[in-house]
Amino acid sequence: MYTFNPGPSQVYPQVRQYLQDAFDEGWLSAQHRGERFVQLMRQTVAELKNKLNIPQDYTVFFMSSATECWEVLAQSLTPNKSLHLYSGAFGEKWFDYAKALRPNSTGIKFGLDEVPNANNLPGLDEETDLVCITQNETSNATQLRDGVILNLYNRLPGNTLLAVDATSSLGGVQLKYIKADIWYASVQKCFGQPAGLSIMLLSPRAVERFRKINERSHYNSLTAQYEKMLNFQTTHTPNVLGIYLLSRTLHDRPGIKVTHQHLQDRASKLYDYFDQATQLTPMVQTPETRSTTVIGLQGPAPLIDEVKRRALAQGLQLGSGYGNWKPTSLRIANFPAIPDAAFEQLVQFFAKEFA
Ligand SMILES: *Cc1c(COP(=O)(O)O)cnc(C)c1O
């Protein structure tokens, strides 16, 4: 059985052994103020930066989910308002969470086959604390390329930071970290791990900003997390098991360059295939805005149902559509933990039953 669900997604088979080791090595009752835990944190941060090519001067925080990251950014880095550029359901959810806390926040919606226009951003002014984008929109299988992010970054007023939701690409795609101030992801997507842990990366500029704002009204305020993280500790008892699994996973994986190329090659093959050979077609028409980590296919609702049902009977669990797209689309995660053999089986299934 393979799952192509884009989160929670297929975990690495090695996770079974890591879990056993975590138990045997005593991590499940480890003291989170002890030297052993601090050593694990230090090692995990070093491994993250090394394997993912994250700049050394970026600060790493561990939280529980991408959703927590949304809220923390509104609390600790948005004294006034944020501007949200989005095309799909996750970007919109982030906007909703931000508005609930900072009602002056605004949003600009763009289409699946479009990119946000950096030269025309109504609502962007000196009072804008954050411009928020979703690098990989898991709900509609779109992705913003490096050039789009760079253009936005270059257009920001002096005090505005660029925040990027990279939940379903970080760990699978080589990202240009220096071209944004905040990046985050949770581990149940491209990291091939069980849910319950997220990672946030902050540029020196972002750290300087939240320290100046000095918001301290919440247990997860960035200022408090920062002060603890200086000693590789956390404000509360953290997900020690999740951090342990992350460190083991990262240790056993190649560098991001290798993974990035592998996923890109697999994505090209899949798009080539679905562009011509099947009754379903890619949701996104423009190659430039297609995601490399989540492939979206569309078709009439009864056909989508039929495809999902017959695939499942052969041990292939396809991801359902999301939000408005639920009945008329399905999603195929192209995450690193899914082996090539699974995709070969998937293509054979389509070739045989739905060509
Ligand atoms: C899955 C996902 C989220 C939500 O992640 P949680 O860890 O469940 O909070 C947010 N943004 C994107 C783009 C996602 O794919």
Side-chain angles (χ1 to χ4, degrees):
M1 168 84 178
Y2 292 116
T3 178
F4 296 90
N5 215 10
S9 58
Q10 175 106 14
V11 298
Y12 286 106
Q14 290 88 341
V15 167
R16 183 188 167 97
Q17 184 63 48
Y18 302 157
L19 287 168
Q20 175 89 47
D21 293 346
F23 187 97
D24 293 346
E25 292 168 17
W27 286 109
L28 303 190
S29 331
Q31 297 297 312
H32 65 289
R33 303 280 176 229
E35 184 49 39
R36 197 163 170 245
F37 173 72
V38 166
Q39 195 51 38
L40 172 67
M41 284 281 270
R42 198 194 306 272
Q43 193 184 316
T44 310
V45 169
E47 196 87 68
L48 253 179
K49 288 187 171 175
N50 174 30
K51 286 285 162 72
L52 301 183
N53 287 342
I54 297 164
Q56 286 303 331
D57 60 358
Y58 274 46
T59 297
V60 177
F61 289 139
F62 293 108
M63 287 179 231
S64 64
S65 64
T67 304
E68 185 183 359
C69 296
W70 288 337
E71 195 155 277
V72 163
L73 291 174
Q75 286 167 185
S76 295
L77 269 168
T78 315
N80 303 308
K81 62 175 183 175
S82 45
L83 171 62
H84 298 255
L85 313 178
Y86 64 94
S87 72
F90 285 105
E92 187 169 15
K93 263 193 191 174
W94 184 3
F95 177 31
D96 290 341
Y97 275 90
K99 260 190 302 191
L101 289 170
R102 301 292 182 261
N104 290 334
S105 296
T106 55
I108 301 174
K109 188 166 184 176
F110 56 94
L112 254 62
D113 296 284
E114 297 169 0
V115 295
N117 180 359
N119 296 316
N120 179 23
L121 297 174
L124 178 64
D125 57 38
E126 299 292 330
E127 295 278 282
T128 308
D129 300 301
L130 296 182
V131 168
C132 303
I133 55 175
T134 304
Q135 195 269 344
N136 198 71
E137 178 49 83
T138 321
S139 71
N140 62 19
T142 58
Q143 194 174 87
L144 298 174
R145 302 282 183 257
D146 293 342
V148 177
I149 299 178
L150 177 64
N151 277 346
L152 284 170
Y153 190 63
N154 288 340
R155 295 283 306 175
L156 299 183
N159 281 323
T160 307
L161 302 177
L162 185 59
V164 187
D165 181 341
T167 303
S168 52
S169 52
L170 214 162
V173 171
Q174 182 153 33
L175 298 162
K176 295 238 174 353
Y177 294 106
I178 57 168
K179 298 306 175 191
D181 300 288
I182 299 136
W183 300 82
Y184 59 85
S186 36
V187 298
Q188 74 275 18
K189 311 269 167 98
C190 277
F191 288 93
Q193 273 187 232
L197 182 71
S198 66
I199 296 153
M200 186 186 277
L201 314 171
L202 294 119
S203 71
R205 210 162 78 105
V207 171
E208 192 187 321
R209 182 70 45 78
F210 73 66
R211 294 189 69 195
K212 193 162 158 223
I213 295 168
N214 198 27
E215 181 275 313
R216 289 175 183 274
S217 313
H218 303 272
Y219 85 97
N220 54 8
S221 296
L222 287 177
T223 325
Q225 295 203 56
Y226 180 75
E227 288 165 357
K228 288 291 182 198
M229 200 60 190
L230 286 174
N231 299 316
F232 293 97
Q233 297 204 6
T234 51
T235 52
H236 56 285
T237 317
N239 182 350
V240 178
L241 176 61
I243 294 167
Y244 174 83
L245 294 176
L246 180 63
S247 96
R248 291 291 304 270
T249 303
L250 287 167
H251 184 78
D252 292 350
R253 295 288 305 158
I256 191 65
K257 244 183 146 152
V258 173
T259 306
H260 178 103
Q261 192 60 50
H262 182 205
L263 296 192
Q264 206 159 47
D265 292 347
R266 256 186 355 198
S268 305
K269 280 193 208 150
L270 288 167
Y271 281 117
D272 282 349
Y273 179 73
F274 287 112
D275 266 333
Q276 355 174 330
T278 66
Q279 297 172 39
L280 300 177
T281 53
M283 286 163 73
V284 185
Q285 306 306 314
T286 326
E288 258 315 286
T289 64
R290 283 178 175 171
S291 167
T292 52
T293 56
V294 180
I295 317 290
L297 300 178
Q298 59 176 327
L303 177 61
I304 293 284
D305 267 352
E306 175 82 1
V307 170
K308 282 197 296 193
R309 197 174 50 74
R310 274 159 62 180
L312 192 60
Q314 301 192 19
L316 301 170
Q317 184 181 43
L318 302 173
S320 292
Y322 193 93
N324 298 338
W325 280 96
K326 197 169 177 66
T328 55
S329 75
L330 59 80
R331 295 173 301 158
I332 299 167
N334 178 27
F335 292 167
I338 308 170
D340 288 343
F343 287 95
E344 281 156 25
Q345 208 175 311
L346 182 74
V347 168
Q348 275 169 22
F349 161 76
F350 274 100
K352 218 167 90 205
E353 311 221 5
F354 291 97

